[in-house]
């Protein structure tokens, strides 16, 4: 298929048909008014050819909808500049080699799930020997000395640890995002790092299933890693970014 | 594949088959006495006639219509047509074109019977040779790439545009499809000709044309080599052009054809004699070229209740089996159909589904039976539909079905989108893998609900077959015994295309097929 | 809950949060560009807080997305005037009674699925004795004389039948809607009815799972019935609308 | 409920229980020697102390902290506090308020032991009376409205705002939920106090407060009457305030509490001795007030592999069972937990799940065991997740589970939206009804995979219990034997709130509970 990058539209069964599936609930009693409101809402979102596939009474004056429609929106993909952590992929052996040669010591990494968040599995899968989906974790690299602080760690404790072990890198995990609590936690940590005057010396990286690189940059972090991140991605980024940093 | 067993009443099974044989024996006599315009067009196609007039009318239609007009049809098209080839020393295609341009066969001298017969034999052998080669190529590719495990994952594409179909089919294969079917445009089955060339405008499906077959075959073979897995191609030999489509499919190397002895009668209101005659020739072709047929018993359950009328599925399967045997088909080509169509809100519906699936599996133990997904009770709630499909896939892998038409979560909404098919595969891949050997762990209680229910359906099928034997199949259909639909023997579409063969009727292709398949003589 | 009808928004777990689920496929190779394009597309559709719940490589340079977002759109439900076939619900006995009294004959109904459409189950469930979900079909009413022509009926045949039986009502079913083939079929029939001069004498009603009353009116029909219609709805509408018609 | 059976090694089962008993006997001795600030606050709550200071600190915290500051805690709060009530002739609430305002208990004269004891007894009896009445009311309503069939459909609400929770819970009940749990705000379990009043700001859940309990109870009772089906209310007695929450739940008539003897240690890094002590008192309260406990073994499988570590679930269930017995609980209140958490992409994963579900069912045949849904391998593909939940629901109804925590298709994305819960119910309602009696049709092969696997897990659990018996439970936890998580006995949160009881320690509530439950004396 020849796709026009300047005019990317969803594809159902015809090029450019704009087919999209939606589902949502409206706070309206089940009935024709709810149906019409749903249709108009979709129109207001720029949909055409709206099919109300189902509407169902889910009680307490709420109605649930499954809808198919054709969006009039499109995207100019040729104008998109992708932001993503930059690195080329090297093997574990190569990274260990590079670090030995260029640093002549281990890179010190402090990892923690901060704030009230108690999820450790994601962070562990980046740090622990075992790693993630057959990709070994940072502890398995000669290149890194890893301090895994676990979960529910306060920013103050993180800074304490960073000083204690003279860390090069902080790896922060955030999994709970309800009511944007992760933004709060991440901002607190960054503010403290600046207040304590340690920000500049560090690479500060955040990860979690709902984290994007874009968000990380917005919050003043050096990189953000999302769902499905492999430890080797993180390892590559750390080593290559530190080299860039030190060569500046 | 390991699967649970249930005990069926062995005597009843044999009796049911005997009844179906008697029923079809009677119909077969009638079939022998008739031919149809589509059968005659098939002969011409296999002789090598192709192409359309400026008005998009296939040359084979023009020729057969002319011969009919000239009142020469009762002898079959072969003799007058080949006579023209012999006396004018032209190819079949040239003769057909000449007829379009006004050549009147009545005006031609008659070559000797011997010459005509020799030429007919030569043409028939040549064409069967071509088909044989094609089917050998398929066999070879299958051996080379390897056959995927059963249940095969069967997916439909139906964009209306063959080029979009290719895109969708390629993606589906990449996602794990083992079989790709192109659904036909609505009402193609009522066209008394096969459309021509690559088509881009269909409704609810894409026209079945020889060129579309070829385009899709190419795409699937490409993908098969890429994913290193043989991919089967399906189309429909139903409707008014059953034998023609079977011929085109054989020439283009399709693997499976929807083909049912009664579907056209019941669901497309096509004349009975037309359908019975056409199905016989189409099945001779399938049998010869190794094309698996898929019957359409699932359709009964979309109009009638799936619990009440479960036995009509069984009865029809047995009838389809006997008709197929008469056309020289081996059981390994008989993809008899059944379906998971019980209202999901029925208490213990799943137990009924298991019983029905086990019955079909036990009755046709080594046949590539085809299991059809929930459609009638699919609604716009795509999530609920997806849950229903999960249990459908589970029943299939547990009971060891062969060909699994994957359910589509948007069944009640539109013909499938690209990702609807992807989601269907996700579901099937998950369930088939996660429950891979469930069938060898599970035993159904002796004399439990499932075993009892399966035997009950069998008994009801026998009752229906007994009645059908007594009154005759034609009468039974008139009574509305199948799918609650009643059709008159002298009604329905395409009746005008049926004719009684004369004493001197000749169909060299049919003769050759019957000979090679050992069906006659 | 007190809902402000003038500002109806989807509800996820907070009043007015605007939460909507979407899924669609973009014709872009799986990767960060596709991700960003999906996000921007959602922005162009007016979504905020966009969560790309999953993106998956579905082959042939297509990427499938499941997305959650908060729409900025809303609907003024207080301004909506619902269009729906108008009738009050009477029982079968009452209708039979009314027809006997007011018409003193049976109302003649011709039903057909027109064009290339072969779906009869929907129409049958309105017309046949048995009906739909325990609600009896029109044949069960004394009030109606029903001619069910089945499927794949051409407009010409319909008109022939209407003349033959002197029909009061045409009930048309349309199920296949791909490439808007139903619009084509319905327009053909309506054009013919006008051309043959029989339109005015008839009540012409269309039904089918994707039919709406609105669409029916647009196409010049008297009413449209969608998914889940019960025969008694149709019976009520026919009787009451004919009474209105004749009293005009 | 009819369900298939499997044969477990009977001797091994008895041995496993014996091991668990020995393990917990040892820990129980340690428990007897300790009390905690939360236990003491519980006493005050049951005496009638309620409310918070202007800084939102609960009065019970202020009082206990003061008594600790005065170095009087080792005797328990009851005696000095009741002494004050006696000598000042004030209510518990008044005394607590006075302490906030500066009253120093050290400055008070001492009433006679007899008077203090009598008053303590009176207060304890009064408070247990109130609880008894409440629990009788629940029993009555249950009888009046009737108990829904099992598996009970259990749903969570977690908006963070109690008033939104009510909206969501009401809708869920209307859609068919039998049990409603309000998930707590993240890290409430690490708060060493119970928040106060109606709350509208939580993260990942809503704070557990007495007022929130009351609001939800009211809403659920309203709905129960409306739908004519008893609806159970759930909250969490885990974390640093186990016994306090149990007391509040008893006072507000909750039906079920999440309550696990080891969960806090492993998953919240709460000190071991703190947790063991707190759980005992909390369970005395549950046992007395007829609150079902739900244990948290499912959590093991979210951190460790669900096949490799399946036996840790079984071992922990047996330990939880013994601890519960020590607190006077009957099996009908022991909702031991397990989960459907195997990677859906594992071949034959479903067979493992069935084996594990059957093991739990057989080991705890008449217990209201709790089955937890897939969470760890749920992804943003809500469709695939929905398919996985379908099989989860099927396994549950087939193997006869009791309490079914419904899976949510957006598990990997957000706490459930209103319609996420609706879709969960659609799935469960469909599967439970459609496969209602599948359990009595299906037999698992003798010595087949499922039977073997169940016995293997049991054997591995016995190995783990043997080791634990040998080294002691505290040591085993230090070794990381459970959930791959290692905790030190002198580490963890809340250690500062644990104290050794003095010779003259008194806890009249505990004494009265133990007496009535027949646990001691
Ligand atoms: C396991 C789990 C738990 C376990 C955690 C055990 C543990 N020790 O971690 C338990 C049961 C204890 C738990 C509790 C809670 N959980 Co929880 N939990 C999950 C669950 C099921 C799986 C998470 C997981 O382990 N994923 C597997 C890992 C490997 O994936 P990952 O975390 O995404 O990590 C990958 C990437 O994101 C990235 N990554 C992650 N961190 C980092 C860090 C760096 C530096 C880098 C580079 C990369 C990186 O790399 C990893 C590998 O690719 C999810 C649902 C789901 N299926 O996602 C809910 C979920 C995360 N939990 C949730 C909630 C709300 C809670 C509770 C708050 C509920 C409650 N009130 O009780 C509690 C309290 C916990 C707390 N105080 O935070 C919500 C969060 C909703 C939201 N978006 O805000 C979820 C989504 C469930 C839901 N739908 O409600 N949970
Ligand atoms: C059963 C069925 C068939 C049967 C039809 C048997 C028969 N005799 O009717 C068979 C198997 C033959 C069939 C064939 C095809 N089908 Co079909 N079929 C269905 C199916 C599974 C159920 C339809 C049904 O019976 N529903 C039950 C009835 C009771 O519901 P209903 O029709 O909506 O009717 C209700 C209301 O709409 C209303 N109503 C309907 N008509 C009328 C009329 C009036 C006057 C009034 C008042 C009310 C009313 O009242 C009814 C009761 O509430 C649907 C999928 C689905 N689950 O919906 C696909 C579906 C309708 N079929 C479809 C297609 C494409 C086809 C084919 C074209 C495929 C092909 N190329 O081979 C063929 C060809 C048929 C043709 N030429 O039209 C598509 C249509 C897609 C689209 N939107 O365009 C669907 C949606 C499946 C899909 N996703 O692809 N089909
Ligand atoms: C045997 C058979 N033929 C054909 C079809 C397809 O319909 P049509 O006749 O419109 O091609 C089906 C559909 O289910 C079928 O089962
Ligand atoms: C026993 C138990 N308690 C409590 C919780 C809830 O977590 P938290 O400790 O944050 O309240 C769970 C969650 O799975 C649990 O299993």
């Amino acid at each position: 298929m020849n796709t026009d990058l300047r005019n990317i539209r969803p594809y159902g069964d015809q090029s450019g048909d704009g087919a999209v599936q939606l589902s949502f609930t409206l706070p309206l009693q089940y009935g024709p008014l709810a149906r019409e409101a749903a249709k108009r809402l979709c129109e207001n979102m720029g949909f055409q050819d709206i099919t109300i596939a189902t509407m169902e009474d889910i009680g307490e004056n709420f109605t649930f909808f499954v809808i198919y429609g054709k969006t009039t929106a499109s995207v100019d993909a040729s104008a998109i500049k992708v932001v993503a952590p930059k690195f080329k992929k090297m093997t574990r052996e190569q990274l260990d080699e590079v670090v030995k040669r260029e640093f002549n010591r281990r890179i010190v990494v402090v990892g923690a799930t901060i704030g009230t968040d108690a999820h450790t599995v994601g962070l562990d899968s980046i740090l622990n020997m075992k790693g993630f989906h057959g990709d070994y974790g940072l502890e398995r690299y000669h290149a890194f000395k890893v301090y895994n602080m676990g979960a529910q760690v306060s920013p103050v404790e993180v800074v304490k640890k960073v000083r204690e072990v003279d860390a090069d890198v902080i790896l922060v995990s955030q999994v709970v995002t309800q009511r944007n609590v992760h933004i709060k936690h991440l901002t607190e940590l960054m503010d403290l790092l600046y207040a304590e005057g340690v920000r500049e010396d560090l690479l500060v990286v955040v990860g979690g299933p709902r984290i994007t690189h874009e968000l990380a940059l917005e919050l003043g972090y050096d990189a953000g890693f999302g769902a499905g991140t492999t430890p080797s991605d993180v390892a590559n980024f750390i080593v290559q970014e530190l080299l860039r940093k030190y060569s500046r | 594949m390991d699967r649970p067993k249930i005990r069926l009443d062995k005597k009843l099974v044999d009796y049911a088959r005997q009844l179906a044989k008697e029923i079809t024996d009677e119909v077969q006599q009638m079939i022998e006495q008739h031919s149809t315009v589509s059968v005659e067009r098939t002969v011409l196609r296999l002789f090598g006639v192709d192409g359309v007039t400026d008005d998009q009318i296939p040359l084979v239609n023009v020729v057969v219509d002319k011969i009919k007009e000239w009142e020469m049809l009762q002898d079959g098209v072969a003799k007058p047509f080949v006579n023209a080839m012999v006396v004018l020393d032209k190819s079949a295609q040239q003769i057909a074109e000449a007829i379009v341009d006004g050549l009147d066969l009545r005006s031609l001298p008659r070559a000797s019977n011997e010459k005509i017969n020799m030429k007919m034999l030569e043409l028939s052998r040549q064409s069967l040779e071509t088909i044989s080669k094609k089917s050998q190529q398929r066999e070879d590719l299958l051996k080379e790439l390897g056959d995927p495990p059963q249940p095969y994952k069967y997916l439909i594409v139906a964009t209306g545009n063959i080029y979009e179909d290719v895109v969708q089919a390629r993606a589906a294969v990449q996602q794990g499809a083992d079989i790709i079917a192109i659904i036909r445009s609505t009402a193609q089955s009522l066209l008394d000709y096969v459309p021509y060339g690559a088509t881009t405008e269909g409704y609810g499906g894409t026209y079945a044309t020889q060129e579309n077959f070829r385009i899709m075959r190419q795409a699937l073979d490409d993908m098969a080599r890429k994913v290193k897995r043989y991919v089967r191609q399906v189309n429909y030999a139903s409707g008014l052009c059953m034998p023609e489509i079977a011929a085109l499919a054989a020439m283009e190397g399709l693997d499976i054809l929807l083909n049912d002895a009664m579907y056209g009668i019941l669901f497309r209101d096509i004349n009975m004699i037309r359908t019975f005659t056409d199905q016989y020739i189409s099945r001779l072709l399938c049998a010869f070229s190794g094309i698996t047929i898929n019957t359409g018993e699932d359709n009964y359950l979309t109009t009638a209740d799936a619990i009440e009328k479960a036995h009509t599925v069984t009865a029809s399967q047995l009838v389809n089996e006997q008709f197929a045997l008469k056309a020289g088909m081996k059981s390994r080509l008989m993809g008899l159909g059944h379906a998971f169509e019980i209202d999901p809100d029925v208490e213990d519906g799943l137990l009924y589904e298991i019983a029905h699936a086990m019955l079909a599996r036990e009755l046709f133990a080594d046949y590539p039976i085809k299991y059809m997904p929930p459609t009638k009770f699919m609604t716009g709630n795509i999530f609920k539909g997806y849950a229903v499909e999960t249990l459908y896939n589970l029943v299939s892998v547990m009971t060891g079905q062969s060909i699994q038409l994957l359910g589509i979560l948007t069944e009640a909404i539109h013909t499938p989108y690209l990702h609807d098919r992807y989601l269907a595969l996700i579901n099937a891949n998950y369930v088939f893998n996660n429950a891979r050997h469930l069938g060898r762990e599970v035993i159904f209680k002796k004399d439990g609900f499932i075993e009892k229910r399966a035997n009950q359906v069998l008994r009801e099928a026998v009752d229906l077959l007994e009645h059908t034997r007594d009154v005759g199949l034609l009468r039974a259909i008139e009574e509305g015994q199948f799918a609650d639909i009643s059709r008159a023997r002298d009604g329905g579409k395409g009746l005008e295309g049926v004719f009684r063969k004369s004493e001197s009727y000749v169909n060299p292709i049919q003769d050759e097929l019957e000979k090679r398949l050992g069906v006659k003589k």
Side-chain angles (χ1 to χ4, degrees), chain A, chain B:
Chain A
M1 278 224 322
N2 292 325
T3 306
D4 177 7
L5 273 188
R6 283 160 313 169
N7 183 25
I8 291 293
R9 292 161 51 67
Y11 176 98
D13 68 351
Q14 312 284 331
S15 284
D17 58 20
V20 172
Q21 174 265 326
L22 301 98
S23 75
F24 55 79
T25 291
L26 291 185
L28 287 172
Q29 205 193 330
Y30 178 84
L33 177 66
R35 173 182 212 97
E36 188 58 27
K39 192 169 156 243
R40 299 230 184 141
L41 184 75
C42 291
E43 282 165 2
N44 292 349
M45 293 191 270
F47 286 96
Q48 293 179 339
D49 279 351
I50 295 157
T51 298
I52 308 225
T54 194
M55 58 183 282
E56 299 180 21
D57 183 354
I58 61 171
E60 298 291 295
N61 292 328
F62 286 105
T63 305
F64 173 62
F65 295 88
V66 174
I67 294 182
Y68 280 80
K70 311 275 168 91
T71 180
T72 49
S74 71
V75 167
D76 180 355
S78 69
I80 293 177
K81 274 199 48 152
V82 175
V83 291
K86 270 190 217 74
F87 54 88
K88 55 183 212 296
K89 200 94 189 199
M90 293 195 263
T91 64
R92 183 158 53 92
E93 291 74 19
Q94 288 170 326
L95 284 177
D96 285 348
E97 185 56 39
V98 168
V99 170
K100 201 166 174 189
R101 194 175 60 230
E102 303 288 334
F103 293 77
N104 197 21
R105 65 170 178 90
R106 291 170 145 206
I107 296 172
V108 180
V109 176
V110 167
T113 302
I114 60 169
T116 51
D117 198 328
H119 293 85
T120 54
V121 176
L123 182 66
D124 286 347
S125 69
I126 301 296
L127 298 181
N128 286 1
M129 287 281 176
K130 194 176 160 193
F132 185 66
H133 272 310
D135 188 278
Y136 290 130
L138 267 51
E139 291 179 357
R140 177 83 64 158
Y141 291 66
H142 293 298
F144 303 109
K145 174 80 195 119
V146 175
Y147 297 89
N148 184 346
M149 299 181 71
Q152 308 192 130
V153 180
S154 71
V156 176
E157 291 169 86
V158 174
V159 172
K160 220 176 104 194
K161 192 73 175 184
V162 162
R163 288 230 166 88
E164 182 190 320
V165 302
D166 197 10
D168 302 292
V169 186
I170 306 182
L171 293 184
V172 191
S173 181
Q174 284 291 276
V175 176
V176 178
T177 58
Q178 205 189 28
R179 293 170 183 248
N180 284 328
V181 68
H182 61 307
I183 310 267
K184 187 169 151 270
H185 290 155
L186 291 171
T187 309
E188 273 169 23
L189 176 64
M190 195 42 76
D191 288 352
L192 190 70
L193 292 177
Y194 276 110
E196 295 282 323
V198 293
R199 169 68 185 97
E200 302 304 333
D201 308 330
L202 289 162
L203 209 59
V204 195
V205 173
V206 55
R210 304 268 83 86
I211 300 296
T212 61
H213 186 57
E214 213 180 351
L215 175 73
L217 297 185
E218 261 173 43
L219 297 175
Y221 286 68
D222 293 303
F225 287 88
T229 305
T230 54
S232 57
D233 282 349
V234 182
N236 271 286
F237 174 77
I238 291 175
V239 173
Q240 295 173 39
E241 187 67 22
L242 279 181
L243 284 175
R244 272 193 290 271
K245 200 176 163 104
Y246 292 150
S247 72
R248 277 195 291 264
Chain B
M1 173 179 298
D2 296 310
R3 60 167 179 87
K5 304 248 174 331
I6 53 170
R7 295 167 312 162
L8 291 182
D9 181 336
K10 181 83 181 57
K11 278 210 192 105
L12 214 55
V13 171
D14 294 342
Y15 181 47
R17 283 214 157 81
Q18 179 56 35
L19 288 169
K21 183 169 180 313
E22 290 173 29
I23 291 166
T24 53
D25 281 350
E26 193 192 340
V27 178
Q28 191 67 24
Q29 286 179 16
M30 185 201 68
I31 293 171
E32 317 263 276
Q33 296 160 7
H34 292 90
S35 179
T36 75
V37 287
S38 184
V39 168
E40 301 306 318
R41 296 194 298 254
T42 305
V43 172
L44 294 177
R45 287 191 184 272
L46 289 171
F47 282 178
V49 179
D50 191 14
V52 287
T53 67
D54 295 345
D55 312 333
Q56 296 296 311
I57 305 172
L59 297 193
V60 293
N61 283 61
V62 176
V63 174
V64 171
D65 289 353
K66 278 286 170 204
I67 291 180
K68 191 176 174 191
E69 198 185 308
W70 299 327
E71 297 185 352
M72 297 161 79
L73 197 58
Q74 64 282 4
D75 295 347
V77 289
K79 240 191 304 188
F81 191 83
V82 171
N83 180 57
M85 288 175 71
V86 171
V87 300
L88 300 176
D89 191 19
K90 297 233 151 104
S91 73
Q93 182 68 13
Q94 286 169 326
I95 297 297
E97 281 166 7
I99 293 175
V100 170
D101 290 343
L103 172 66
D104 187 334
L105 296 190
R106 290 173 300 188
S107 66
L108 292 183
R110 284 213 48 181
S112 72
N113 269 346
E114 208 198 322
K115 270 200 177 154
I116 294 180
N117 286 344
M118 257 184 49
K119 186 71 189 169
M120 286 200 300
L121 201 62
E122 180 198 321
L123 286 167
S124 303
R125 291 199 173 151
Q126 248 168 30
S127 88
L128 296 198
E129 213 43 58
T130 322
I131 290 177
S132 254
K133 252 204 198 132
K134 197 80 188 177
S135 103
Q136 193 52 54
Q137 280 170 19
R138 313 282 349 134
E139 286 288 332
D140 293 346
L141 191 62
L142 177 62
K143 248 184 226 133
E144 180 191 328
L145 296 176
D147 206 11
Q150 293 186 358
Y152 296 138
K153 286 162 279 183
Y154 173 131
L155 276 157
I156 60 169
V157 295
T159 69
N161 176 333
I162 185 65
Y163 300 108
E164 296 277 3
D165 283 345
V166 162
V167 172
Q168 305 241 346
R170 290 177 59 96
V173 172
Q174 241 171 14
Q175 294 153 20
D178 301 317
I179 303 182
I180 297 288
I182 312 187
I183 299 286
R184 286 193 297 183
S185 181
T186 55
Q188 168 165 7
S189 47
L190 299 186
L191 300 180
D192 210 346
Y193 64 91
V194 181
Y196 184 78
T199 70
T200 57
E201 271 295 323
Y203 303 94
T206 307
Y207 289 100
T209 73
Q210 186 169 4
E211 181 62 16
N212 287 348
F213 288 180
R214 195 178 293 143
I215 291 170
M216 185 55 78
R217 180 77 273 174
Q218 185 63 53
L220 294 183
D221 285 353
D222 282 358
M223 285 307 292
R225 291 211 166 77
K226 203 162 150 185
V227 299
K228 299 198 167 35
R229 193 177 73 234
Y230 188 76
V231 181
R232 289 175 166 79
Q233 181 180 356
V234 178
N235 214 294
Y236 295 73
S238 291
L240 289 171
C241 298
M242 287 182 103
E244 280 177 278
I245 296 211
L248 297 177
M251 292 193 254
E252 299 305 331
L254 269 65
D255 303 277
I256 302 178
L257 284 175
L258 276 272
N259 182 287
D260 189 294
M262 301 196 287
Y263 168 85
I265 306 168
L266 300 170
F267 297 97
R268 289 292 173 270
D269 194 10
I270 293 174
N271 174 265
M272 292 187 203
I273 309 174
R274 171 83 181 240
T275 297
F276 284 129
T277 308
D278 283 349
Q279 65 83 28
Y280 174 60
I281 311 295
S282 72
R283 285 180 177 188
L284 287 174
L285 279 161
C286 290
F288 177 73
S289 50
I291 292 178
T292 300
I293 58 163
N294 277 179
T295 57
E297 281 81 4
D298 50 291
N299 295 288
Y300 297 151
L301 308 184
T302 62
T303 45
D305 183 81
I307 292 182
E308 258 171 55
K309 293 301 168 80
H311 64 286
T312 62
V313 168
T314 309
S316 170
Q317 288 168 332
L318 290 162
V319 168
N320 261 312
E321 179 189 29
Q322 291 303 322
F323 274 126
L325 283 173
K326 290 188 165 50
M329 300 200 90
K330 298 278 177 295
S331 63
R332 68 174 178 85
L333 296 183
M334 294 187 204
L336 301 167
H338 63 129
F340 186 100
E341 279 282 17
I342 296 172
D343 184 344
D345 294 338
V346 167
E347 193 180 54
D348 285 329
L350 193 71
L351 278 68
Y352 283 91
E353 293 290 11
I354 294 173
H356 299 174
M358 283 303 301
L359 173 60
R361 185 68 287 175
E362 293 283 2
L363 276 179
F364 309 102
D366 57 344
Y367 299 38
I369 57 174
K370 173 193 73 157
Y371 200 24
M372 293 288 287
T375 64
K376 187 170 164 187
F377 290 99
M378 294 290 281
T379 68
N381 190 327
I382 54 178
F383 300 99
K384 169 137 188 207
Y386 206 66
V388 176
E389 282 165 17
T390 309
L391 294 192
Y392 161 63
N393 286 328
L394 187 76
V395 170
S396 176
V397 70
M398 179 169 70
T399 60
Q401 302 297 319
S402 309
I403 296 179
Q404 177 85 345
L405 213 128
L406 298 194
I408 300 287
L409 80 173
T410 51
E411 169 63 31
I413 309 164
H414 48 236
T415 47
Y417 287 168
L418 189 62
H419 49 256
D420 295 343
R421 227 175 278 110
Y422 170 69
L423 292 172
L425 279 161
I426 291 228
N427 196 319
N429 288 333
Y430 160 57
V431 176
F432 289 178
N433 181 57
N434 204 238
R436 179 81 66 206
H437 299 103
L438 184 61
R440 77 174 173 214
E441 270 304 304
V442 160
I443 295 164
F444 300 119
K445 216 192 233 161
K446 249 190 179 179
D447 285 323
F449 179 89
I450 288 169
E451 212 168 81
K452 277 197 191 133
R453 171 69 190 164
N455 279 291
Q456 182 198 339
V457 174
L458 177 59
R459 228 169 301 118
E460 290 171 14
V462 164
D463 291 345
L464 173 54
L465 289 170
E466 262 181 344
H467 173 79
T468 304
R469 195 252 334 254
D470 294 346
V471 300
L473 182 55
L474 275 56
R475 178 74 202 126
I477 293 175
E478 288 178 329
E479 291 172 356
Q481 298 287 354
F482 294 91
D484 287 348
I485 295 168
S486 137
R487 302 292 185 199
R489 75 184 70 195
D490 55 359
K493 289 147 184 139
L495 175 59
E496 67 289 350
V498 183
F499 62 94
R500 247 183 189 276
K501 298 180 189 171
S502 71
E503 291 288 299
S504 49
Y505 177 86
V506 177
N507 183 334
I509 298 275
Q510 181 177 348
D511 293 344
E512 190 65 22
L513 283 169
E514 286 172 340
K515 206 174 100 198
R516 300 213 190 177
L517 290 165
V519 171
K520 282 223 184 107
K521 279 144 222 179

